[in-house]
Amino acid sequence: MAVNPAAAGGVGHIAAVSPANAPLRLLVVGNDGAVYTTDYFFFGQKFSGWNAWQAITAPIAAPLAPIRCISMEPGRIDVFLVGKNAGIKPTGGVIWGHWDHSSSNWSWRRVGTLETVLHSPVTVVSRAKGWLELFVCDLDGRVLTTRLAPGSGKWSNWVQLLDANLDPLPPGAPVSAVSDFDGALDLMVVGSDRRVWRRRANSFSFHWWDWSPWLKLGSLNVPSRSEVALVSRAPGRISAFVVGDDEGVYSASWRPEYGWSSNWN
């Protein structure tokens, strides 16, 4: 059976997540700003397919806004997007949606007081069991982060991660993140100079001395507001992918013994 995102009010950014002990699930923001979801049922070859799309929120976001999700333990889904403020002001705050398979109920709340532009992506990553971290670029072009500790149910205050090396980014610019082993985290952004910048932490801390400085990765020019795709295929190994000004796809890689490759290829 074909999955038709248009049935969810428009074709937006589709997020997919596969929690253990629960069906594969898709989520999307429709052109009415509501969040819609569907899941896949399987009861043998003759009885499988996608359930009908259903709205799980009222209109809370900009039409077709980016949505991100993660499952860090069996039967649990956490969803993030920028929700719109009341009135006509084109800004919003980070909204956290949580689903538990045991109750099948969704709960929604705002994460702190951070403000950013609508359609900004919210990056979520888990670098150890039970931990969640978010990364967002705010209205001033700063990279900010917050974390949810295991069992706490409460997000920390937003903390900014810029330093003297990196100028402010375009407001709402994408922030990419990946963890290649427990406690380690790599961030990448496209700076106002249209170059890729990176920063790394090897421990759980908001202290600036536990992060490397922001450093430029190679000399590749990329379009403003581009998003770098990051993936870790094995402990201690990271690959990065981005589209250059010439519309070619470029990659760079990192290994502990060599560091990052000197340029994009």
Side-chain angles (χ1 to χ4, degrees):
M1 175 181 173
V3 178
N4 181 12
V11 180
H13 298 251
I14 298 176
V17 63
S18 181
N21 302 329
L24 173 65
R25 183 176 292 272
L26 304 181
L27 298 107
V28 67
V29 176
N31 60 14
D32 59 353
V35 178
Y36 293 80
T37 188
T38 180
D39 58 10
Y40 191 80
F41 64 89
F42 181 81
F43 298 106
Q45 294 296 328
K46 295 183 179 181
F47 300 98
S48 61
W50 292 94
N51 285 309
W53 288 93
Q54 61 176 329
I56 53 175
T57 70
I60 60 173
L64 312 181
I67 186 168
R68 304 288 173 86
C69 56
I70 191 171
S71 177
M72 63 176 182
E73 59 186 51
R76 171 174 172 163
I77 300 174
D78 293 278
V79 181
F80 302 92
L81 70 158
V82 172
K84 62 184 180 181
N85 292 325
I88 61 174
K89 191 176 180 182
T91 62
V94 174
I95 301 294
W96 171 36
H98 173 69
W99 179 83
D100 192 310
H101 184 58
S102 62
S103 64
S104 296
N105 293 325
W106 286 91
S107 62
W108 300 87
R109 69 183 77 170
R110 182 159 174 167
V111 181
T113 59
L114 177 144
E115 290 280 309
T116 188
V117 297
L118 299 179
H119 288 99
S120 300
V122 180
T123 297
V124 56
V125 66
S126 177
R127 52 174 156 162
K129 185 177 180 179
W131 286 86
L132 284 181
E133 291 174 79
L134 304 181
F135 298 89
V136 177
C137 181
D138 72 356
L139 293 173
D140 297 319
R142 303 175 302 168
V143 177
L144 286 95
T145 184
T146 180
R147 63 174 52 170
L148 181 71
S152 68
K154 183 178 180 181
W155 292 89
S156 67
N157 293 331
W158 288 95
V159 176
Q160 73 96 6
L161 291 176
L162 287 185
D163 64 14
N165 289 356
L166 182 64
D167 292 333
L169 308 175
V175 182
S176 302
V178 69
S179 177
D180 57 311
F181 59 83
D182 277 4
L185 191 66
D186 264 71
L187 300 181
M188 285 195 185
V189 297
V190 173
S192 56
D193 59 356
R194 298 192 299 112
R195 302 288 179 86
V196 176
W197 291 74
R198 62 179 178 85
R199 194 173 200 188
R200 182 171 176 85
N202 286 307
S203 64
F204 288 104
S205 176
F206 280 145
H207 300 304
W208 62 266
W209 57 80
D210 290 320
W211 287 86
S212 72
W214 284 101
L215 299 172
K216 198 175 299 186
L217 180 57
S219 57
L220 179 70
N221 284 331
V222 301
S224 180
R225 295 183 178 274
S226 294
E227 185 168 3
V228 183
L230 294 174
V231 64
S232 177
R233 296 182 289 171
R237 301 193 66 171
I238 299 173
S239 295
F241 303 88
V242 71
V243 176
D245 274 350
D246 61 357
E247 300 184 352
V249 177
Y250 291 83
S251 67
S253 60
W254 182 85
R255 295 178 65 173
E257 60 268 37
Y258 304 120
W260 281 97
S261 51
S262 59
N263 213 334
W264 297 88
N265 52 55

